[in-house]
Amino acid sequence: MTTAWRGQSRLWNTATRPTARPLLTSFAPAALQAARSAQPQLPRGLLLDALPGGWLESAQALQCVAIVCQHQLWNTETVAQAKQAGFRLLSYTVNDEASASRLIALVQSTTQIAVALLRTRIEPEFATWHETRQFG
């Protein structure tokens, strides 16, 4: 095991709350497989910037706990599929109010999507929700 893996494992294992534990994410299934082989207890998430055939099955085979999509990929169908499979749902690169509002509507209808906002001004209503929401 490399020093980097030992350090990451120590970080993950010392987190005291499940929501405080870091999530190891990658776009590369091979990297997630290597992480799974080296440290199977580390929670993993599959990053997606497109939805290739078998995206859900890939996340399942890698024993991921989360799927992290480019925000435009989340819709009622993809949310329902991932949610039914038991994944945590996260999103990235939300840069405008319209996109944030769309995701808020999905959140309100599904209660399972977590939105990571990057470089955007958001409405106070969403900021309050984001700070107090227990993602799970």
Side-chain angles (χ1 to χ4, degrees):
M1 179 184 337
T2 67
T3 303
W5 279 115
R6 279 193 289 272
Q8 292 299 319
S9 179
R10 189 171 41 255
L11 172 66
W12 266 263
N13 290 330
T14 58
T16 57
R17 298 180 333 205
T19 56
R21 295 181 76 196
L23 179 65
L24 176 66
T25 61
S26 179
F27 287 100
L32 292 170
Q33 180 59 46
R36 180 178 160 216
S37 295
Q39 294 291 318
Q41 76 282 6
L42 299 182
R44 294 169 304 283
L46 179 60
L47 282 162
L48 297 171
D49 59 4
L51 290 178
W55 64 275
L56 190 62
E57 294 79 9
S58 180
Q60 290 170 323
L62 293 164
Q63 296 178 345
C64 291
V65 299
I67 298 174
V68 186
C69 284
Q70 200 282 338
H71 73 92
Q72 295 169 329
L73 300 176
W74 288 125
N75 58 46
T76 54
E77 183 179 335
T78 56
V79 166
Q81 291 173 338
K83 182 179 173 182
Q84 184 175 6
F87 290 102
R88 291 183 180 165
L89 312 176
L90 294 101
S91 184
Y92 64 90
T93 316
V94 180
N95 291 328
D96 60 74
E97 285 186 40
S99 296
S101 294
R102 186 184 71 78
L103 289 171
I104 290 168
L106 278 173
V107 168
Q108 291 171 346
S109 67
T110 64
T111 70
Q112 290 292 311
I113 199 167
V115 181
L117 291 174
L118 303 174
R119 301 183 318 238
T120 187
R121 291 185 315 168
I122 56 176
E123 298 172 343
E125 172 188 336
F126 184 77
T128 300
W129 173 85
H130 188 261
E131 291 171 7
T132 61
R133 174 86 168 106
Q134 290 262 340
F135 301 123

